[in-house]
PDB file of all heavy atoms in Angstrom:
ATOM      1  N   ALA A  11      -6.510   2.732 -15.044  1.00  0.00           N
ATOM      2  CA  ALA A  11      -6.095   3.074 -13.691  1.00  0.00           C
ATOM      3  C   ALA A  11      -7.341   3.421 -12.883  1.00  0.00           C
ATOM      4  O   ALA A  11      -8.171   4.201 -13.352  1.00  0.00           O
ATOM      5  CB  ALA A  11      -5.128   4.252 -13.708  1.00  0.00           C
ATOM      6  N   PRO A  12      -7.492   2.836 -11.681  1.00  0.00           N
ATOM      7  CA  PRO A  12      -8.730   3.008 -10.938  1.00  0.00           C
ATOM      8  C   PRO A  12      -9.020   4.471 -10.569  1.00  0.00           C
ATOM      9  O   PRO A  12     -10.177   4.888 -10.576  1.00  0.00           O
ATOM     10  CB  PRO A  12      -8.520   2.159  -9.677  1.00  0.00           C
ATOM     11  CG  PRO A  12      -7.059   1.859  -9.630  1.00  0.00           C
ATOM     12  CD  PRO A  12      -6.552   1.930 -11.026  1.00  0.00           C
ATOM     13  N   ASP A  13      -7.987   5.236 -10.267  1.00  0.00           N
ATOM     14  CA  ASP A  13      -8.257   6.605  -9.817  1.00  0.00           C
ATOM     15  C   ASP A  13      -8.385   7.607 -10.967  1.00  0.00           C
ATOM     16  O   ASP A  13      -9.256   8.470 -10.942  1.00  0.00           O
ATOM     17  CB  ASP A  13      -7.201   7.068  -8.796  1.00  0.00           C
ATOM     18  CG  ASP A  13      -5.824   6.478  -9.079  1.00  0.00           C
ATOM     19  OD1 ASP A  13      -5.677   5.833 -10.141  1.00  0.00           O
ATOM     20  OD2 ASP A  13      -4.911   6.659  -8.258  1.00  0.00           O
ATOM     21  N   ILE A  18      -4.454   1.460 -18.942  1.00  0.00           N
ATOM     22  CA  ILE A  18      -3.215   0.733 -18.629  1.00  0.00           C
ATOM     23  C   ILE A  18      -3.027  -0.390 -19.638  1.00  0.00           C
ATOM     24  O   ILE A  18      -1.915  -0.706 -20.040  1.00  0.00           O
ATOM     25  CB  ILE A  18      -3.263   0.187 -17.189  1.00  0.00           C
ATOM     26  CG1 ILE A  18      -3.285   1.336 -16.183  1.00  0.00           C
ATOM     27  CG2 ILE A  18      -2.067  -0.720 -16.916  1.00  0.00           C
ATOM     28  CD1 ILE A  18      -3.405   0.882 -14.745  1.00  0.00           C
ATOM     29  N   ALA A  36       9.088  -2.729 -22.006  1.00  0.00           N
ATOM     30  CA  ALA A  36       9.770  -1.789 -21.119  1.00  0.00           C
ATOM     31  C   ALA A  36       9.091  -1.736 -19.755  1.00  0.00           C
ATOM     32  O   ALA A  36       7.970  -2.209 -19.587  1.00  0.00           O
ATOM     33  CB  ALA A  36       9.766  -0.400 -21.756  1.00  0.00           C
ATOM     34  N   ASN A  37       9.766  -1.146 -18.774  1.00  0.00           N
ATOM     35  CA  ASN A  37       9.151  -0.901 -17.466  1.00  0.00           C
ATOM     36  C   ASN A  37       7.903  -0.048 -17.646  1.00  0.00           C
ATOM     37  O   ASN A  37       7.920   0.938 -18.380  1.00  0.00           O
ATOM     38  CB  ASN A  37      10.117  -0.137 -16.551  1.00  0.00           C
ATOM     39  CG  ASN A  37      11.289  -0.989 -16.136  1.00  0.00           C
ATOM     40  OD1 ASN A  37      11.173  -2.207 -16.050  1.00  0.00           O
ATOM     41  ND2 ASN A  37      12.412  -0.345 -15.897  1.00  0.00           N
ATOM     42  N   GLY A  38       6.835  -0.430 -16.982  1.00  0.00           N
ATOM     43  CA  GLY A  38       5.615   0.368 -17.037  1.00  0.00           C
ATOM     44  C   GLY A  38       4.814   0.191 -18.303  1.00  0.00           C
ATOM     45  O   GLY A  38       3.830   0.896 -18.532  1.00  0.00           O
ATOM     46  N   SER A  39       5.195  -0.769 -19.151  1.00  0.00           N
ATOM     47  CA  SER A  39       4.478  -0.929 -20.409  1.00  0.00           C
ATOM     48  C   SER A  39       3.149  -1.669 -20.229  1.00  0.00           C
ATOM     49  O   SER A  39       2.269  -1.580 -21.074  1.00  0.00           O
ATOM     50  CB  SER A  39       5.351  -1.675 -21.418  1.00  0.00           C
ATOM     51  OG  SER A  39       5.781  -2.911 -20.868  1.00  0.00           O
ATOM     52  N   GLY A  40       3.014  -2.410 -19.137  1.00  0.00           N
ATOM     53  CA  GLY A  40       1.761  -3.115 -18.875  1.00  0.00           C
ATOM     54  C   GLY A  40       1.908  -4.624 -18.813  1.00  0.00           C
ATOM     55  O   GLY A  40       0.913  -5.347 -18.828  1.00  0.00           O
ATOM     56  N   LYS A  41       3.144  -5.116 -18.711  1.00  0.00           N
ATOM     57  CA  LYS A  41       3.375  -6.566 -18.670  1.00  0.00           C
ATOM     58  C   LYS A  41       2.744  -7.204 -17.434  1.00  0.00           C
ATOM     59  O   LYS A  41       2.067  -8.224 -17.547  1.00  0.00           O
ATOM     60  CB  LYS A  41       4.883  -6.873 -18.654  1.00  0.00           C
ATOM     61  CG  LYS A  41       5.675  -6.270 -19.785  1.00  0.00           C
ATOM     62  CD  LYS A  41       7.143  -6.643 -19.676  1.00  0.00           C
ATOM     63  CE  LYS A  41       7.815  -6.107 -18.413  1.00  0.00           C
ATOM     64  NZ  LYS A  41       7.838  -4.648 -18.306  1.00  0.00           N
ATOM     65  N   SER A  42       2.977  -6.590 -16.277  1.00  0.00           N
ATOM     66  CA  SER A  42       2.433  -7.177 -15.053  1.00  0.00           C
ATOM     67  C   SER A  42       0.910  -7.190 -15.087  1.00  0.00           C
ATOM     68  O   SER A  42       0.279  -8.140 -14.633  1.00  0.00           O
ATOM     69  CB  SER A  42       2.897  -6.390 -13.828  1.00  0.00           C
ATOM     70  OG  SER A  42       4.281  -6.497 -13.683  1.00  0.00           O
ATOM     71  N   THR A  43       0.349  -6.115 -15.615  1.00  0.00           N
ATOM     72  CA  THR A  43      -1.103  -6.040 -15.712  1.00  0.00           C
ATOM     73  C   THR A  43      -1.627  -7.195 -16.562  1.00  0.00           C
ATOM     74  O   THR A  43      -2.580  -7.887 -16.179  1.00  0.00           O
ATOM     75  CB  THR A  43      -1.516  -4.689 -16.326  1.00  0.00           C
ATOM     76  OG1 THR A  43      -0.908  -3.652 -15.556  1.00  0.00           O
ATOM     77  CG2 THR A  43      -3.016  -4.520 -16.339  1.00  0.00           C
ATOM     78  N   LEU A  44      -0.981  -7.418 -17.685  1.00  0.00           N
ATOM     79  CA  LEU A  44      -1.357  -8.519 -18.566  1.00  0.00           C
ATOM     80  C   LEU A  44      -1.256  -9.853 -17.824  1.00  0.00           C
ATOM     81  O   LEU A  44      -2.160 -10.693 -17.867  1.00  0.00           O
ATOM     82  CB  LEU A  44      -0.417  -8.512 -19.772  1.00  0.00           C
ATOM     83  CG  LEU A  44      -0.817  -9.283 -21.021  1.00  0.00           C
ATOM     84  CD1 LEU A  44      -2.092  -8.707 -21.607  1.00  0.00           C
ATOM     85  CD2 LEU A  44       0.295  -9.232 -22.059  1.00  0.00           C
ATOM     86  N   ASP A 159       5.923 -13.454 -13.153  1.00  0.00           N
ATOM     87  CA  ASP A 159       6.140 -12.044 -13.478  1.00  0.00           C
ATOM     88  C   ASP A 159       7.578 -11.654 -13.130  1.00  0.00           C
ATOM     89  O   ASP A 159       7.877 -11.367 -11.976  1.00  0.00           O
ATOM     90  CB  ASP A 159       5.144 -11.178 -12.715  1.00  0.00           C
ATOM     91  CG  ASP A 159       5.208  -9.715 -13.143  1.00  0.00           C
ATOM     92  OD1 ASP A 159       5.990  -9.393 -14.062  1.00  0.00           O
ATOM     93  OD2 ASP A 159       4.477  -8.894 -12.560  1.00  0.00           O
ATOM     94  N   GLU A 160       8.438 -11.653 -14.104  1.00  0.00           N
ATOM     95  CA  GLU A 160       9.866 -11.353 -13.902  1.00  0.00           C
ATOM     96  C   GLU A 160      10.442 -12.150 -12.735  1.00  0.00           C
ATOM     97  O   GLU A 160      10.985 -11.566 -11.793  1.00  0.00           O
ATOM     98  CB  GLU A 160      10.076  -9.859 -13.660  1.00  0.00           C
ATOM     99  CG  GLU A 160       9.612  -8.990 -14.815  1.00  0.00           C
ATOM    100  CD  GLU A 160       9.981  -7.516 -14.588  1.00  0.00           C
ATOM    101  OE1 GLU A 160      11.021  -7.259 -13.970  1.00  0.00           O
ATOM    102  OE2 GLU A 160       9.223  -6.650 -15.043  1.00  0.00           O
TER     103      GLU A 160
HETATM  104  N1  ADP C 301      -3.287   0.646  -9.629  1.00  0.00           N
HETATM  105  C1  ADP C 301      -2.738   1.472 -10.532  1.00  0.00           C
HETATM  106  N2  ADP C 301      -3.093   2.771 -10.589  1.00  0.00           N
HETATM  107  C2  ADP C 301      -2.557   3.597 -11.481  1.00  0.00           C
HETATM  108  N3  ADP C 301      -1.640   3.232 -12.376  1.00  0.00           N
HETATM  109  C3  ADP C 301      -1.245   1.968 -12.388  1.00  0.00           C
HETATM  110  C4  ADP C 301      -1.762   1.005 -11.465  1.00  0.00           C
HETATM  111  N4  ADP C 301      -1.182  -0.176 -11.714  1.00  0.00           N
HETATM  112  C5  ADP C 301      -0.332   0.024 -12.738  1.00  0.00           C
HETATM  113  N5  ADP C 301      -0.379   1.314 -13.137  1.00  0.00           N
HETATM  114  C6  ADP C 301       0.385   1.888 -14.248  1.00  0.00           C
HETATM  115  O1  ADP C 301       0.159   1.102 -15.373  1.00  0.00           O
HETATM  116  C7  ADP C 301       1.334   0.964 -16.131  1.00  0.00           C
HETATM  117  C8  ADP C 301       1.646  -0.489 -16.378  1.00  0.00           C
HETATM  118  O2  ADP C 301       2.000  -1.110 -15.180  1.00  0.00           O
HETATM  119  P1  ADP C 301       2.582  -2.592 -15.112  1.00  0.00           P
HETATM  120  O3  ADP C 301       1.574  -3.510 -15.721  1.00  0.00           O
HETATM  121  O4  ADP C 301       2.980  -2.862 -13.712  1.00  0.00           O
HETATM  122  O5  ADP C 301       3.848  -2.476 -16.054  1.00  0.00           O
HETATM  123  P2  ADP C 301       5.151  -3.388 -16.172  1.00  0.00           P
HETATM  124  O6  ADP C 301       4.922  -4.642 -15.418  1.00  0.00           O
HETATM  125  O7  ADP C 301       5.307  -3.589 -17.640  1.00  0.00           O
HETATM  126  O8  ADP C 301       6.290  -2.593 -15.623  1.00  0.00           O
HETATM  127  C9  ADP C 301       2.418   1.698 -15.390  1.00  0.00           C
HETATM  128  O9  ADP C 301       2.614   2.954 -15.986  1.00  0.00           O
HETATM  129  C10 ADP C 301       1.873   1.835 -14.004  1.00  0.00           C
HETATM  130  O10 ADP C 301       2.344   3.018 -13.411  1.00  0.00           O
END
Side-chain angles (χ1 to χ4, degrees):
Chain A
D13 33 7
I18 295 177
N37 291 331
S39 55
K41 305 180 297 298
S42 295
T43 306
L44 197 63
D159 187 2
E160 300 186 33

